[in-house]
Amino acid sequence: MADFKLTYATMFNPPEELHTGFDKAVEKLKQNLGKEYGMIINGKDVFADEKFDDHSPINTDWILAKMQKGSAQHAHDAMAAARKAFPKWSHTPWQERVKLLRKAASLIEERIFDLGAAMAMEVGKNRMESLGDVQETADLIYYSCYQMEKNNGYIVEMGKDPLVGYEASNISVLRPYGVWLVVSPFNFPHALTGGPSGAALVAGNTLVIKPATDTAWIVRLLADCFRDAGLPDGVVNFVTGPGSTLGQALVDSPEVDGVTFTGSFDVGMKMFSDFAKGKYVRPMILELGGKNPAIVSKNADLERATIGIVRSAFGLQGQKCSAASRVIVEEPVYDEMVSRLKEATDKLVIGDPTERATYIGPVVNKSSYNDFKNFTEEISQGGGKFLTGGHVKTGGNFDKGYFCEPTFVTDLPFEHRLWKYEMFLPITTIGKVKNLDEAMEIGNDVNYGLTAGFYGSAEEADMFFDKIEAGVTYANRPQGATTGAWPGFQPFGGWKGSGSSGKNGGGHYYLPLYMHEQIRTLIK
Ligand code: NAP
Ligand code: MG
């Protein structure tokens, strides 16, 4: 694998070793399922009175792990542990913190096959997407370490004020806030837990992590990497349980100095208003939903557009914040685009995502599976036609899990509410427009502004970049129309209802979000 760098853009043609490593890990893991895992508070495993079984969406008979249903008391204990660990961790030289976090990132890389196999079984991601999520996590942590080093710990000597008879020194330093809360979603359970956690920790904050309930197991395996790397007790605390009770208790805790929440718009907005009830304003980084357009001009290379759009519409079963959930095509190429999309989608293999040939696994849980049935019904009633899919998969092993067909919809009027609503499923609507002006107008006419893709001429691409209201934009990319950002290459974050900070993860401006500035003036 010496010359191979795994990213979401390179994952389509991996070396053979990635497959054999993954296969072995799946086999080993399947013999070891169903163990009980605690939460981690102050470095110790903590068990709650109530537990829950973590089932696989591939086959709900598979119980992957037994996890803890944490309570408000556990939220309180985790916060107290993080608070206690803060003075020492924040005064640990940043070089030392960087060293420990690089160790954690390298442990994640060492365990990539075991973690990837568990991810495929718990989330239902295909194998390359699973391995990608794990590698991205390590890369996000490395990137925060690199930023800290490149900026010399964010210690900057300012000008000396011209004081007659005195000598002044003015030093600007960025310092950590204190206890940071990371609440993460099910779909990128590692990258969107480990990325923000890495930044918060390098910056000198201590942490409480609360994963999505659907992915409690795999995030516990990530928390193990931090603990095994030798981060001191209390620096990283990990609690599991329902968002509505345990999660809410964390958000309401007066101990929290800052939050990174990645998840849906509705939960994020509620959290934002609840968090504003504290004694003063505290930082909150929100990374929310998307309704990402892929716009196809009459001058597009339709072969590239087809590959890129199908990958972005149906990768991870459409459950990516960056999924191409709207396709907007100029009239002259509409018919050909639609027939190519159908042909490519019909070739996608649906099945057990741990298997090599599978591109499309199950959706994450029963509620998403039921949503799929309801949305497809609503689309039919609204005048939409199914170019592909439209149904859940049944028969044989499909009946054991939550499998849905990759569904392209045509003829749904642009006025229909589902053109603006994030379904978070393998359902993408395709619409026809007269010209690119109309395409851009429809493209921007949503609350969200996360990613966007374009296929057309170079001059048209300039216009697209200039006018599109989104934080991550791509033109003419076959590796993914709207998906596949990688730290260091495509910093990831959203505008409008898709994000609050205006600074993208895995980019130049991200790490300082986790610190506040102090200016130190000393007169000698
Ligand atoms: P979600 O339902 O909003 O849940 C996200 C997290 O919030 C989970 O850990 C959840 O815990 C927790 N939570 C729920 N209610 C809470 C409360 N009252 N207080 C504190 N925490 C609470 O999102 P999801 O279904 O996991 O993920 C899908 C969403 O994430 C989509 O909208 C997607 O677009 C978005 N997303 C955005 C980005 C981005 O970078 N912008 C990236 C990935 C995903 P439970 O699981 O226990 O309910
Ligand atoms: Mg959810």
Side-chain angles (χ1 to χ4, degrees), residues 181 183-188 192 210-215 241-251 261-268 270-271 274 286-290 319-322 364 422 424 448 450 492-494 498-499:
L181 170 64
V183 179
S184 58
F186 78 84
N187 65 336
F188 285 84
L192 298 177
K210 143 79 183 115
T213 296
D214 284 317
T215 51
S244 54
T245 52
L246 170 81
Q248 190 66 43
L250 292 167
V251 176
F261 169 81
T262 312
S264 62
F265 179 82
D266 289 350
V267 173
K270 175 177 174 352
M271 216 184 244
D274 291 348
L286 297 168
E287 307 286 356
L288 309 177
Q319 301 165 115
K320 293 189 188 181
C321 50
S322 55
V364 72
E422 185 191 46
F424 221 58
Y448 294 112
L450 192 50
F492 192 82
S498 295

Side-chain angles (χ1 to χ4, degrees), residues 273-295:
S273 72
D274 291 348
F275 199 57
K277 292 178 190 140
K279 274 192 287 190
Y280 43 76
V281 175
R282 297 161 294 168
M284 177 173 236
I285 301 170
L286 297 168
E287 307 286 356
L288 309 177
K291 188 71 179 173
N292 314 295
I295 295 173

Side-chain angles (χ1 to χ4, degrees), residues 166-301:
Y166 296 92
E167 199 196 327
S169 95
N170 298 311
I171 311 278
S172 157
V173 292
L174 290 189
R175 301 186 63 191
Y177 281 96
V179 175
W180 205 273
L181 170 64
V182 171
V183 179
S184 58
F186 78 84
N187 65 336
F188 285 84
H190 273 186
L192 298 177
T193 308
S197 296
L201 292 167
V202 170
N205 301 282
T206 54
L207 263 191
V208 177
I209 293 172
K210 143 79 183 115
T213 296
D214 284 317
T215 51
W217 176 45
I218 174 82
V219 181
R220 160 67 206 231
L221 301 181
L222 173 66
D224 286 346
C225 296
F226 286 117
R227 187 163 67 173
D228 295 347
L231 273 89
D233 289 352
V235 170
V236 177
N237 303 280
F238 165 81
V239 289
T240 51
S244 54
T245 52
L246 170 81
Q248 190 66 43
L250 292 167
V251 176
D252 293 339
S253 166
E255 289 294 337
V256 184
D257 295 306
V259 180
T260 306
F261 169 81
T262 312
S264 62
F265 179 82
D266 289 350
V267 173
M269 288 300 277
K270 175 177 174 352
M271 216 184 244
F272 181 69
S273 72
D274 291 348
F275 199 57
K277 292 178 190 140
K279 274 192 287 190
Y280 43 76
V281 175
R282 297 161 294 168
M284 177 173 236
I285 301 170
L286 297 168
E287 307 286 356
L288 309 177
K291 188 71 179 173
N292 314 295
I295 295 173
V296 183
S297 123
K298 61 177 184 294
N299 301 311
D301 175 333

